Amino acid sequence: MKYVVWSLVVILIILHQDFWNWDNANLVFGFIPVTLFYQVCISLGAGFTWFLAVQFIWPEKLEYIEQLEEKQGEE
Amino acid sequence: MTFEPGITQLVIISIYLALLLGLGLFSNRLFSGSSKDYMLASHSIGPFLLLMSIFGTTMTAFALVGSTGESFKEGVGVYGLLASSSGIVHSMCFFILGVKLWSFGRKYGYTTQIEFFRDRLESDKLGIVMFPILVGLVIPYLLIGVMASGTVIAAATKGAFPDFFTATGGGVPGWIGSLVVCGVVLTYVFFGGMRGTAWANTFQTIVFMVLGVVTFFVIASRIGGQDSIWENLKLASESIPRDKLVRAGNPSMSYLRFATYMFVPLSVGMFPHLFQHWLTARKASNFKLAVVAHPLFIMIVWAPCVLVGAWAAGSLVELPPPVKANANAILPFLVARFSGDVLGGFLIAGVLAAIMSSLDSQFLCVGTIFTNDIVVHYGGKNRFSDKQIVIIARLFIILIVAITYGLSLLDYRRVFTLGVWCFSGFSALFPLILAALYWKGLTKAGAYASVITAFGLWCYFFYQSDFAGNPHYNVLDMMPVAPMLLGSTLALVLVSLVTPKPSEETLQKFFPAKDS
């Protein structure tokens, strides 16, 4: 899953370049400039990618520190 | 009952500022008196407060006032320049840097970045080099907020005191507005410390997000003069000039410039105030919500502002020449033009909320750096009591507020341009933090080389740009941040390869066997 998530990050960075819309003045749904609409989709894609990251590749070893802290707190 | 124009807005802004003062004073009742509580809220911050305080700190005048103004000037491509790229890059920094730095902070008791670097690179003097650079880069960032707060208050209260303030059309002059905002932020930071700051940030982030969305719908429902919001939306967007809809032909949006803008959000990796916020987390998993929600929150705030800024460039909105000339005044003007006095007052409170939710963390952070990294470090840990450390931090916060306010009276620059320069400086230091966490080969000399190169290039390019006076300044058609980042990375790697590594003990401390 690590490779999937980091590949998605790289894909997002490439898609973000968006030179294919450089001279596109169309309005999506009649009011959202396509340049803006496309980049809003990139934001949504970023949210989804980072959701996958925290779900599947979260650094679990840090739980050790949390447990240690909790133990110290109890003492 | 009718009031002078601007009075209603002034009353609402005053009530909002009073509420914040109350919140800060209330959080003081939970203050334990220790320096750890004052600077890091005793590592007690949960996922929601962490998300809101990190987001509120990252979004400043730059997000609301700056994005609207910049979209008015440069078009809707502004969203791609900083908002969507930040959604990718900021969360990446939280994920790969924030969580790891939090774990070292908890293990080894760090409060500031400089403490971490001193330990990681076995270099005491590195702190001396980094202190003025970090503080020097935070100050322009602070200036952005202080200047913008004065501008929006002046615009919102226009007409309130026509006999007193003739030069501003009766509006409260910028210097008074900035002074009051500085005073309010100083008060709740002074009394509430990090806990007060986190609470105030959360409250203010909710305020500016909700009011930002409300602003958009109010303006959208009235801008075209039609009954249906849908018709108004269509009319408003159809009125946007073509050069604001596309990036082609815009000197600020060449391919290379757009691509290299992506390096600017790397700055969050080195923001000292964000480092301090990261350390407030109760546990590592509290970061998860911030990592996921941050790009979506940026979208909620930026997308409406950018669209509204582009509408302002269209034929439906007639802008007076002074507003046209000052990009920072676009949003306050639109709010005043399309909403009633009451809503207008609330919306201005929302803009001030965005500004103050960054100012507070930055003031607190500078006070913390000075106290921990200079006074306590060189004065000796046992020389001061915990109570004295809190007093020193508070005194330095007062000093830095006074200096920032004084500087804000001297000059004026476009909020967006000044912000980008400040972020670029922090971004140029990004290789250092990345290498410190992930590359055993980083050496003390490599770190010095990287910091000095980044700072030298920043000063040179800043001078070349007429001290941010030229918003289209570029280096070989790239954003200046690109060569700065390249230079600092090369210096870091090349010098590290030929200089002695840190001791095995230090490497074991930061790269324990089970991590490798």
Side-chain angles (χ1 to χ4, degrees), chain B residues 280-331:
Chain B
T280 63
R282 193 165 52 229
K283 49 188 187 174
S285 52
N286 287 359
F287 277 82
K288 288 182 177 178
L289 184 61
V291 170
V292 177
H294 194 81
L296 307 178
F297 275 27
I298 292 177
M299 181 192 74
I300 292 169
V301 172
W302 275 71
C305 287
V306 166
L307 194 52
V308 163
W311 289 343
S315 53
L316 293 181
V317 184
E318 204 171 307
L319 298 170
V323 176
K324 244 183 192 171
N326 179 4
N328 299 345
I330 297 289
L331 185 63

Side-chain angles (χ1 to χ4, degrees), chain B residues 150-171:
Chain B
T151 306
V152 294
I153 290 177
T157 56
K158 199 172 179 184
F161 305 103
D163 298 333
F164 286 103
F165 307 123
T166 45
T168 54

Side-chain angles (χ1 to χ4, degrees), chain B residues 421-506:
Chain B
W421 273 103
C422 174
F423 297 162
S424 299
F426 283 113
S427 300
L429 296 170
F430 176 82
L432 179 62
I433 189 80
L434 186 70
L437 290 172
Y438 291 98
W439 189 36
K440 283 183 184 177
L442 173 67
T443 68
K444 177 169 74 175
Y448 274 111
S450 178
V451 171
I452 292 167
T453 306
F455 182 64
L457 287 173
W458 188 89
C459 289
Y460 175 72
F461 292 140
F462 191 59
Y463 170 74
Q464 290 283 312
S465 77
D466 187 25
F467 302 100
N470 174 10
H472 303 300
Y473 178 73
N474 62 62
V475 181
L476 303 173
D477 207 28
M478 293 182 288
M479 288 295 291
V481 66
M484 281 155 60
L485 198 59
L486 180 68
S488 70
T489 306
L490 281 176
L492 182 145
V493 173
L494 295 177
V495 176
S496 290
L497 287 174
V498 295
T499 48
K501 306 271 177 288
S503 69
E504 197 51 40
E505 190 191 348
T506 296

Side-chain angles (χ1 to χ4, degrees), chain B residues 27-58:
Chain B
S27 67
N28 182 247
R29 298 178 66 136
L30 298 177
F31 175 42
S32 71
S34 73
S35 59
K36 194 177 172 187
D37 198 52
Y38 189 74
M39 293 168 185
L40 296 176
S42 300
H43 306 292
S44 63
I45 301 298
F48 181 69
L49 278 184
L50 188 68
L51 162 69
M52 298 308 259
S53 54
I54 286 179
F55 181 71
T57 300
T58 321

Side-chain angles (χ1 to χ4, degrees), chain B residues 74-98:
Chain B
E74 311 289 356
V76 295
V78 164
Y79 185 92
L81 277 186
L82 266 178
S84 51
S85 55
S86 295
I88 303 168
V89 175
H90 285 185
S91 287
M92 184 178 75
C93 289
F94 302 160
F95 189 72
I96 62 170
L97 306 178

Side-chain angles (χ1 to χ4, degrees), chain B residues 114 118 123-132 373-374 378 448:
Chain B
I114 290 174
R118 273 182 170 142
S123 169
D124 184 55
K125 293 192 176 59
L126 185 64
I128 295 283
V129 175
M130 291 193 75
F131 173 77
D373 299 325
I374 302 295
Y378 291 106
Y448 274 111

